Structure formats: structure tokens, C-alpha cells
């Protein structure tokens, strides 16, 4: 079924693989922009659609592994490749020769014999190029490319910091008292996790979703639920090397600058332009319409939970780790 041979793929294969497929994609684009023939749907838009397939395959395999089965070696590669993978599409999307060809087709799309799908593809490619900065001057384009590379680096570090906190935290459950409320399947999973962590005979809860969410759902130990919940929501917010708060501030600043370069008042306005909502005002109106009803419903659920807690002999106010 076209599945990658994961058992044969090693971390050291990715650097040369990325180098090869990035070069291949650049060659695809060079053939489009270097064509002396007048732009047509086939030699420009369809050629763009078909370009970079090898890059897509390598990237799909790599990010499948980094998302589901990462390692220190893969994380190092990811940090190294992130700015390169950001610079590559920037160079394509900001290529004036490419934009000239797509813009020419977009300008005469009403006169071309196109079906609905072909017309939509021309409009999409034109919009993507414009939103990437194709109409900006040379200096602004260079800054956009710098921002995109930096954002890629920051986003990668952000995700890896969260992953570090998920992997480094664990809650050791000591005996039957700590296991209260947990169903057999969850107990077995906690025992396996403990064995893998070098604690045979124990049970541990980790911050992986498959561990933390069922624990918060079933555990009868309110104090342990509170401890686990607070660890979950503070991933990437712990002082030290893996603290994401400084990264967030820089990401927000760069996004705001990018939006201004593109002619928008805010990054929200820029990101929403090509969506159904279109504007931050429309989003706010929808949220304002939904919010009162959502709050009322949440209050009903809170009271139902409080009543259930009282029946169990607890008078605590309902908190997030009870929910």
C-alpha cells in the first residue's frame, strides 16, 4: 500500500535524503520558471501541482517518526532541517519569475477554456503567492524569508520543549490506595509504563495522552488528579532550559511583523483572510453569540458534578481536575 519501509530507515539517512529531494524540487521549479513558452495551465499550474512529490514523501516519513516515535537523534535533525524547510518554500513562493507566470494566467482566467477545478487551482496558487509576499519589494521579501525561517526554528523548539516535559514527568502510584478507581486496562498500562521506566512492580502515570487523560477520568484520588492536571497544563512553562514563554513572546512579535509587512493590522487579520470567517470581528461575533449559552451549559454541568461529589461525601468546589 505504499507504506514506507520504516524498519530499514535510520536517522542518518534523512540528511542526504532531504538534500536530494530539495534539489529535485528546485529543479522542478526551475523548469517551470525557465520555460520560454508562454504560461499555460499545463506548463505552469499543473507542473506546480506535480512538483516536489519526492520531497513530500521524505517529509511525510520524517515527521511521522518525529511526531509518533521520536528520538534525540531525530530531534537534532529536526532542529537542523526546520529552517531549511522554511527557506525552501519561501524561495519558491517569492520567486518573481514564478509569480509572473501565475499572475499572467490569473489575469486572463476568464478568457481561458477552463473547467471549475482548473480555474480554482489558478486562483489558489495566485492567492498563495500573494499571501506569501510575491507582490512585496525586494527588501520586504528578504525580511519575510528571514521571519519564516526563524518561526520554523522557534516552532520546532517549542514542540520539543513540550515533548521534553511530557517525557520527563511521571507520577508513581504507590499501592492500591493510589490506584483507586482505575479500571484493569489502565492499571495494566500503568504497570507496563513503570516496567519500561525501570520500576518493575510499580505503576506510573505519564503525560502522554493515553496515560494522563484516562487517569484524570477514572482516578478516585483527587489530590493525585490535581497533581497530574497541573503538570499537564504546565508543559513548556517550567523555568529553565525548556521554558517556552520566551519563545512565545518572540513568535508573537514575529507574526505581528509579518502581518504588517503583508498590509494587515494584526496576525489574526492576516491568518483569517482566506477562511470562511474572513475577519477577527466576524470571529468575535460568533464567539459572543455562543459564549453565554456555553457558559450557562457549563454551569449546569458543574452543578451536576458538585451534586455527584456531595453524594460521595466531598464538599470541595469543582475544579478542573474534577471535570
Amino acid at each position: 500500500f505504499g507504506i514506507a519501509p520504516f524498519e530499514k530507515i535510520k536517522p542518518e539517512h534523512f540528511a542526504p535524503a532531504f538534500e536530494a529531494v530539495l534539489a529535485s524540487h528546485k529543479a522542478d521549479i526551475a523548469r517551470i520558471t525557465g520555460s520560454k513558452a508562454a504560461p499555460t495551465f499545463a506548463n505552469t499550474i499543473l507542473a506546480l501541482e506535480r512538483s516536489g512529490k519526492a520531497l513530500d514523501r521524505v517529509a511525510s516519513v520524517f515527521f511521522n517518526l518525529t511526531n509518533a516515535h521520536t528520538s534525540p537523534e531525530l530531534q537534532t535533525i529536526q532542529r537542523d532541517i526546520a529552517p531549511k524547510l522554511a527557506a525552501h518554500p519561501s524561495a519558491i513562493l517569492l520567486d518573481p519569475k514564478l509569480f509572473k507566470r501565475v499572475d499572467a494566467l490569473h489575469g486572463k482566467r476568464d478568457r481561458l477554456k477552463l473547467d471549475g477545478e482548473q480555474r480554482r487551482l489558478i486562483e489558489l496558487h495566485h492567492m498563495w503567492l500573494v499571501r506569501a509576499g510575491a507582490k512585496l519589494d525586494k527588501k520586504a521579501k528578504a525580511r519575510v524569508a528571514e521571519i519564516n525561517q526563524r518561526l520554523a526554528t522557534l516552532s520546532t523548539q517549542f514542540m520539543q520543549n513540550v515533548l521534553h516535559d511530557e517525557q520527563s514527568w511521571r507520577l508513581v502510584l504507590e499501592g492500591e490506595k493510589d490506584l483507586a478507581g482505575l479500571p484493569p486496562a489502565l492499571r495494566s498500562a500503568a504497570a507496563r509504563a513503570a516496567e519500561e521506566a525501570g520500576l518493575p512492580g510499580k505503576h506510573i502515570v505519564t503525560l502522554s495522552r493515553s496515560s494522563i487523560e484516562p487517569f484524570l477520568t477514572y482516578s478516585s484520588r483527587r489530590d493525585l488528579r490535581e497533581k497530574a492536571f497541573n503538570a499537564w497544563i504546565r508543559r513548556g512553562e517550567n523555568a529553565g532550559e525548556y521554558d517556552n514563554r520566551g519563545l512565545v513572546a518572540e513568535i508573537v512579535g514575529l507574526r505581528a511583523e509579518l502581518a504588517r509587512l503583508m498590509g494587515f493590522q494584526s496576525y489574526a487579520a492576516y491568518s483569517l483572510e482566506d477562511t470562511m470567517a474572513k475577519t477577527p470581528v466576524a470571529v468575535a461575533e460568533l464567539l459572543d453569540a455562543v459564549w453565554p449559552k456555553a457558559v450557562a451549559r457549563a454551569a449546569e454541568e458543574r452543578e451536576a458534578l458538585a451534586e455527584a461529589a456531595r453524594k460521595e461525601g466531598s464538599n470541595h468546589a469543582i475544579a478542573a481536575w474534577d471535570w
Side-chain angles (χ1 to χ4, degrees), residues 7-287:
E7 73 283 358
K8 298 179 182 179
I9 298 171
K10 298 178 180 178
E12 59 266 26
H13 294 155
F14 282 109
F18 272 119
E19 183 179 351
V21 295
L22 286 170
S24 173
H25 194 200
K26 287 177 183 177
D28 291 342
I29 301 302
R31 280 191 290 273
I32 297 171
T33 59
S35 174
K36 295 181 180 180
T40 64
F41 179 84
N43 70 18
T44 301
I45 303 301
L46 191 56
L48 274 173
E49 286 285 304
R50 289 174 171 169
S51 69
K53 297 301 182 185
L55 174 58
D56 291 343
R57 284 198 299 274
V58 172
S60 294
V61 171
F62 179 71
F63 288 108
N64 182 289
L65 289 172
T66 58
N67 288 332
H69 193 57
T70 193
S71 66
E73 293 83 5
L74 288 174
Q75 289 180 332
T76 299
I77 296 167
Q78 189 177 11
R79 288 192 295 271
D80 179 60
I81 199 66
K84 297 176 184 177
L85 291 180
H88 176 71
S90 287
I92 295 171
L93 294 168
L94 297 174
D95 187 329
K97 293 180 181 179
L98 181 62
F99 181 65
K100 185 177 180 180
R101 295 182 70 86
V102 175
D103 193 43
L105 290 170
H106 185 262
K108 60 182 180 181
R109 63 192 184 283
D110 292 333
R111 303 191 300 275
L112 300 174
K113 294 181 179 179
L114 302 169
D115 61 29
E117 192 172 90
Q118 292 171 330
R119 181 188 174 95
R120 179 61 175 155
L121 277 174
I122 290 177
E123 291 172 347
L124 282 174
H125 278 282
H126 188 266
M127 179 187 70
W128 291 333
L129 290 169
V130 171
R131 283 180 57 78
K135 290 186 174 182
L136 298 177
D137 61 34
K138 189 174 182 179
K139 182 179 178 181
K141 284 182 179 180
R143 180 56 183 155
V144 166
E146 289 175 357
I147 290 173
N148 287 337
Q149 288 185 63
R150 181 60 180 159
L151 284 174
T153 298
L154 292 170
S155 298
T156 298
Q157 189 61 57
F158 181 98
M159 291 185 291
Q160 291 190 358
N161 286 350
V162 172
L163 182 62
H164 168 271
D165 284 359
E166 288 183 0
Q167 292 180 333
S168 61
W169 185 91
R170 65 190 185 195
L171 175 65
V172 180
L173 305 177
E174 302 284 359
E176 190 61 33
K177 184 179 179 182
D178 288 356
L179 293 168
L182 304 187
L186 184 53
R187 291 184 179 215
S188 297
R192 286 196 303 272
E195 190 168 343
E196 292 172 2
L199 296 171
K202 301 276 189 180
H203 297 77
I204 66 170
V205 175
T206 71
L207 291 183
S208 68
R209 284 190 179 273
S210 60
S211 177
I212 187 72
E213 289 189 353
F215 178 78
L216 290 170
T217 299
Y218 294 108
S219 175
S220 301
R221 287 288 302 277
R222 189 172 192 269
D223 57 329
L224 297 183
R225 292 202 311 271
E226 179 179 2
K227 184 182 293 186
F229 181 84
N230 284 328
W232 171 253
I233 65 170
R234 287 184 172 84
R235 293 166 300 149
E237 195 188 349
N238 299 297
E241 180 183 355
Y242 302 97
D243 194 334
N244 272 335
R245 286 170 288 189
L247 300 185
V248 170
E250 188 177 353
I251 288 170
V252 169
L254 288 172
R255 285 180 169 183
E257 183 184 353
L258 179 64
R260 289 193 297 271
L261 285 168
M262 297 298 181
F264 293 86
Q265 288 187 333
S266 68
Y267 187 79
Y270 168 65
S271 65
L272 287 167
E273 184 204 24
D274 63 338
T275 67
M276 186 184 296
K278 298 295 183 187
T279 67
V281 171
V283 173
E285 288 175 350
L286 174 62
L287 293 176

